[in-house]
Amino acid sequence: MRRKAAVIGSPIEHSLSPVLHDAAYAALGLDWEYTRLECAEDAVPSLVSSLGPEWVGLSCTMPTKRAALAFASSVTPRASAVGAANTLVRTDSGWHADCTDVDGVVGALREKGFSGGARGVVLGAGGTATAALAGFAELGVSSVSLVVRDPSRAGEAVRTAERVGVAVEVLPLSSVDVGSLAAGCDVLVSTVPAAATESLAGDLARAPFVLDVIYHPWPTPVADAVRGSGARLATGLDMLLHQAFGQVELFTGMDAPRDVMREALGAALAARA
């Protein structure tokens, strides 16, 4: 029986996950099939329930992550803390949910030399921001300023911070000195669209370590500013790689062939350029 896995979400046609997973399985000597499956949030239960025993795992992208968590028969503590699952793994008793987006944040920052610090800043309060907060907890960041346009929409991020033991203050973007905040922190994660950071990029680049999770279009204003400032830049592509490493290991039970996956991603991006 040929094993199968897929990435689910909507829209899904431009996902780079097949590039990473196909390269990994080939390097590991596994004749597995990895595909893209278009799936709306409310279709997650019916889709996953329809999959036969040959299916070993699913990568879940937007807008399916919360529905994947709700559907799962078992959940890791970090997925529960984040409130979303980007990974479903077949088990003997059903589907197990995890959130390797946390691995993405932690791995991307560690790869650029971040070894820990007390204060962090997160720009935005969506699903990636909650993964960043959980990642900060793993990295030893104990206090975070959450900068948002609308503080009333930061509730889920605040709850995630409480679950992982990170002290959080919610600051409205309209009334905060972003430059001073960035200069006074140890690490900053920007989760907002590139267009929203054009006027803020220089201020955000005052942080010593910056993870800009947006990688299309590239380079972002934040990336350009950070490269000009001498700060360390981790990118959304770094995060994509590290979350995929975790997924491959959960699906296969084998160490991810990281160099092979990194090379495959580089080749795919060059072909798209």
Side-chain angles (χ1 to χ4, degrees):
M1 181 172 58
R2 190 183 191 199
R3 300 298 184 183
K4 293 183 178 181
V7 57
I8 65 172
S10 183
I12 203 65
E13 64 270 13
H14 297 300
S15 172
L16 289 164
S17 290
V19 171
L20 300 171
H21 284 260
D22 285 344
Y25 303 149
L28 294 171
L30 301 173
D31 182 25
W32 286 16
E33 178 185 355
Y34 188 95
T35 58
R36 299 178 181 90
L37 297 176
E38 187 77 17
C39 182
E41 182 176 14
D42 60 2
V44 168
S46 60
L47 172 65
V48 182
S49 297
S50 73
L51 301 178
E54 71 275 19
W55 287 84
V56 299
L58 296 170
S59 310
C60 307
T61 189
M62 296 302 292
T64 65
K65 294 182 180 184
R66 294 188 186 281
L69 183 74
F71 174 82
S73 51
S74 60
V75 177
T76 62
R78 65 180 181 178
S80 179
V82 171
N86 77 324
T87 308
L88 288 174
V89 184
R90 169 88 74 177
T91 69
D92 291 339
S93 58
W95 290 88
H96 184 61
D98 199 355
C99 185
T100 68
D101 284 334
V102 179
D103 295 332
V105 172
V106 172
L109 286 168
R110 281 182 173 160
E111 185 177 85
K112 303 305 177 183
F114 183 71
S115 58
R119 288 199 53 79
V121 174
V122 176
L123 189 63
T128 308
T130 56
L133 289 165
F136 276 178
E138 187 170 327
L139 289 163
V141 177
S142 57
S143 177
V144 176
S145 297
L146 189 69
V147 181
V148 294
R149 291 189 182 276
D150 183 359
S152 69
R153 301 180 66 179
E156 185 59 39
V158 170
R159 287 188 288 274
T160 292
E162 292 171 348
R163 293 172 192 139
V164 298
V166 171
V168 63
E169 60 173 350
V170 180
L171 302 173
L173 178 60
S174 60
S175 61
V176 68
D177 182 343
V178 174
S180 295
L181 198 64
C185 78
D186 298 297
V187 59
L188 182 147
V189 177
S190 175
T191 71
V192 300
T197 63
E198 288 183 5
S199 64
L200 301 171
D203 289 333
L204 298 176
R206 295 179 66 185
F209 288 88
V210 177
L211 167 58
D212 184 2
V213 307
I214 305 301
Y215 57 84
H216 183 75
W218 188 261
T220 64
V222 173
D224 280 337
V226 171
R227 285 171 172 165
S229 73
R232 298 285 187 91
L233 174 67
T235 74
L237 290 172
D238 298 320
M239 184 177 170
L240 177 69
L241 271 170
H242 283 274
Q243 64 82 29
F245 297 156
Q247 286 185 340
V248 166
E249 292 175 355
L250 287 169
F251 291 174
T252 68
M254 304 167 72
D255 290 340
R258 298 187 174 210
D259 289 344
V260 170
M261 295 170 70
R262 194 182 305 278
E263 290 170 7
L265 179 60
L269 293 172
R272 289 187 178 188

